[in-house]
Amino acid sequence: MKKKMLLLNTTVLLGLGGVLSTPAYASTIQDMESQKSQIQNQRQDVQSNIKAASDELTSLQAEQDQMKAQLERLTIAEEENNKKAQQTEADIKETSKQVEQLEKEIKLLQEKLEKRNDILKDRARSLQESGGNVEYLQVLLGSSSFSDFVDRALAVSTIVDADRGILKETKNMQDELKTKQADVKSKLASLEDMKAELDEMTVQLAAQKKQKDALAKELKDKEAKNEELKASLQAKDSSLANEQSTLEQNIKDQKAAEEAARKAAEQAAKEAAKKAAEQAQKAAAAPAEQADSSSAKAEAPKASSNDVAPTSAPVPKASNVVTVGNRWIGNSAYVFGGGRSQSDISRGLFDCSSFVHWAYSQVGVNLGPLGSVSTETLKHAGTQVSSSQMQPGDLVFFDTYKKDGHVGIYVGGGKFIGAQSSTGVAIANMSSGYWKQKFNGRVVRI
């Protein structure tokens, strides 16, 4: 594009240089006709440059429109991802409170259990005699009376049954709380993983939007400069048109003056001839001579310019799962959990697993319910093959924010296509750099 603008500006400068070197008006009609022809040629060049500037503006506008559409997608994606991040943060806080409460309850139960253990020990010691190992039967037989015997029997029975029940109940509650705590901690770990991915994605999207904004500004600046150039060319064309009109008027005035002079000369000749004839009558008859004059008219050739209608190349159509997603390159944005509704798909809002699901659906392969598709479901959707046997169309998995956290479609040559968090749908290199480090070797053939 810079080369086009440079060529356009160079052409305009050459054209304007010719205009500035135009000589002053000549005095003869022939010179003025020649000068008029030069101005017409210069106008033709200027008008050609105006058309080139207009074509450039049209091209810039098309690029700007495409860029605006992509910026709108990125804005939507950023808003959706921020909402998801905020919800995830709220879930993390709530789950953290649940974990904290459960830990408090477990601590209280443990303290209660310790106290009950101390009570049981005291009771056991109170039922023992002389510090020996006294059985419950010995405790009963050591009663001093029948009433004492009954009291002791009831006490032993109550202690044994009550403590056993308390221990069992406490143990069950403790096991239940530990199970709940493990479940909540597992959920918390999953939420934190999602938060890590969303944080990274938000940073990448912000960087991408900044880059797109800079490009949009560059296009806008070019558009302004081209508009200014076009206005300058139009002003010069108007100036040349005025010069041409002035020349044409001068030529017309000059021709009128010459015609008047010719007629005056003819009249003078007639009068002179009449006078001569009168004098000659006295002497002898003599033929009268009349002067005849003519003038030639020159017309400058008119120049014309031919516009070449632009042609548009046919839009290639995807024929398989490897290339069907190319239509979204540069026209999509990554949204966590996106691509699971027709509205999202029509706007090009995908995450990695929903894009894979969409791509295969375009070639007639159903990878399960769209609403529940994930990297976890996709890695069990086909047959595991060795990475050394990888071929185009296979699913490839990467360890990003978690194990198998990202998936794409291998296209060959060490590259894959997928919905990437930083670029939307794009082809990335998995044989070097970031994706080589993240590739875990899992390959699934559908």
Side-chain angles (χ1 to χ4, degrees):
M1 185 179 294
K2 290 182 179 179
K3 290 183 178 179
K4 288 169 63 182
M5 292 294 293
L6 179 61
L7 178 60
L8 178 60
N9 290 333
T10 302
T11 304
V12 171
L13 288 174
L14 290 174
L16 294 179
V19 172
L20 294 175
S21 64
T22 302
Y25 290 137
S27 57
T28 68
I29 292 178
Q30 183 177 1
D31 289 343
M32 285 189 289
E33 290 285 2
S34 176
Q35 190 177 27
K36 174 183 172 182
S37 178
Q38 292 179 21
I39 291 176
Q40 287 176 330
N41 290 335
Q42 290 168 2
R43 283 196 69 192
Q44 182 178 351
D45 292 339
V46 171
Q47 289 169 352
S48 177
N49 289 333
I50 291 174
K51 182 182 181 302
S54 297
D55 292 343
E56 180 71 10
L57 281 172
T58 300
S59 176
L60 286 171
Q61 186 62 51
E63 291 183 42
Q64 197 173 42
D65 291 343
Q66 183 179 3
M67 189 59 60
K68 286 179 179 177
Q70 179 65 1
L71 286 172
E72 288 177 1
R73 276 188 289 270
L74 289 172
T75 300
I76 292 172
E78 187 175 22
E79 290 175 353
E80 292 298 322
N81 291 329
N82 284 335
K83 288 179 182 177
K84 185 67 177 179
Q86 291 172 2
Q87 182 59 50
T88 302
E89 289 174 352
D91 291 343
I92 290 175
K93 289 181 180 178
E94 179 61 28
T95 307
S96 299
K97 289 181 180 178
Q98 294 176 11
V99 172
E100 184 178 354
Q101 181 61 32
L102 287 172
E103 289 176 343
K104 288 180 179 178
E105 293 178 7
I106 288 176
K107 184 177 180 180
L108 290 174
L109 284 172
Q110 289 174 339
E111 292 175 354
K112 186 176 180 181
L113 183 59
E114 289 293 332
K115 290 179 180 179
R116 290 187 177 186
N117 286 338
D118 291 340
I119 292 173
L120 289 174
K121 291 177 182 178
D122 291 340
R123 288 179 179 178
R125 280 194 293 268
S126 68
L127 294 173
Q128 292 176 348
E129 293 181 358
S130 302
N133 295 324
V134 180
E135 300 292 341
Y136 285 124
L137 181 59
Q138 292 176 312
V139 173
L140 295 175
L141 293 176
S143 59
S144 58
S145 64
F146 180 76
S147 177
D148 185 28
F149 175 84
V150 173
D151 290 339
R152 291 191 179 198
L154 289 173
V156 170
S157 175
T158 301
I159 290 172
V160 172
D161 292 340
D163 290 343
R164 184 186 295 118
I166 291 172
L167 287 171
K168 184 177 180 180
E169 180 184 355
T170 304
K171 182 65 168 60
N172 289 340
M173 291 178 63
Q174 189 177 27
D175 291 342
E176 181 181 0
L177 286 172
K178 285 183 178 179
T179 300
K180 288 182 178 180
Q181 185 182 36
D183 291 342
V184 173
K185 284 186 176 180
S186 175
K187 182 180 179 182
L188 180 60
S190 176
L191 289 172
E192 288 175 343
D193 287 340
M194 286 191 293
K195 180 63 169 56
E197 185 188 33
L198 285 168
D199 287 345
E200 178 182 2
M201 180 175 53
T202 301
V203 171
Q204 291 172 335
L205 282 173
Q208 186 182 25
K209 187 176 185 301
K210 183 178 180 181
Q211 179 183 7
K212 296 296 183 182
D213 287 341
L215 184 54
K217 183 179 183 301
E218 179 182 356
L219 287 171
K220 187 175 181 180
D221 291 342
K222 286 183 178 179
E223 183 180 22
K225 290 179 181 178
N226 211 18
E227 285 282 9
E228 182 180 353
L229 176 61
K230 184 179 176 182
S232 174
L233 288 169
Q234 289 172 335
K236 179 52 63 179
D237 181 62
S238 178
S239 175
L240 288 172
N242 291 334
E243 292 182 32
Q244 181 179 334
S245 177
T246 301
L247 273 175
E248 289 173 348
Q249 184 62 45
N250 288 343
I251 291 172
K252 182 179 179 180
D253 293 344
Q254 185 69 15
K255 286 182 178 181
E258 289 185 2
E259 180 66 17
R262 184 185 66 79
K263 289 182 178 180
E266 287 180 352
Q267 183 63 32
K270 286 181 180 179
E271 291 177 355
K274 182 178 179 182
K275 185 176 181 181
E278 291 175 352
Q279 294 175 353
Q281 284 180 358
K282 297 178 180 178
E289 297 180 357
Q290 297 180 352
D292 186 27
S293 62
S294 62
S295 60
K297 299 180 181 180
E299 284 190 16
K302 294 183 179 180
S304 62
S305 61
N306 296 324
D307 295 340
V308 179
T311 58
S312 58
V315 179
K317 294 184 177 180
S319 59
N320 54 56
V321 73
V322 174
T323 58
V324 71
N326 290 351
R327 59 170 288 194
W328 294 116
I329 296 176
N331 297 302
S332 59
Y334 185 98
V335 174
F336 190 88
R340 287 164 177 77
S341 68
Q342 190 54 48
S343 175
D344 279 359
I345 293 173
S346 64
R347 293 182 294 172
L349 305 178
F350 297 97
D351 64 10
C352 61
S353 54
S354 66
F355 170 75
V356 169
H357 187 284
W358 173 87
Y360 269 93
S361 72
Q362 299 305 295
V363 295
V365 178
N366 186 356
L367 296 181
L370 176 61
S372 59
V373 65
S374 66
T375 55
E376 191 67 23
T377 63
L378 290 176
K379 73 180 184 182
H380 299 297
T383 304
Q384 304 279 331
V385 298
S386 170
S387 59
S388 62
Q389 299 175 333
M390 187 164 49
Q391 63 186 31
D394 290 344
L395 303 187
V396 287
F397 291 79
F398 305 84
D399 293 344
T400 51
Y401 72 102
K402 68 175 183 178
K403 179 73 174 175
D404 298 317
H406 189 70
V407 63
I409 302 172
Y410 186 65
V411 300
K415 297 180 179 180
F416 76 100
I417 186 171
Q420 327 296 10
S421 60
S422 59
T423 59
V425 175
I427 295 176
N429 189 352
M430 57 183 290
S431 59
S432 64
Y434 175 82
W435 292 113
K436 180 180 180 180
Q437 297 174 1
K438 298 298 182 179
F439 179 52
N440 61 18
R442 186 186 296 280
V443 180
V444 174
R445 184 159 298 161
I446 302 300

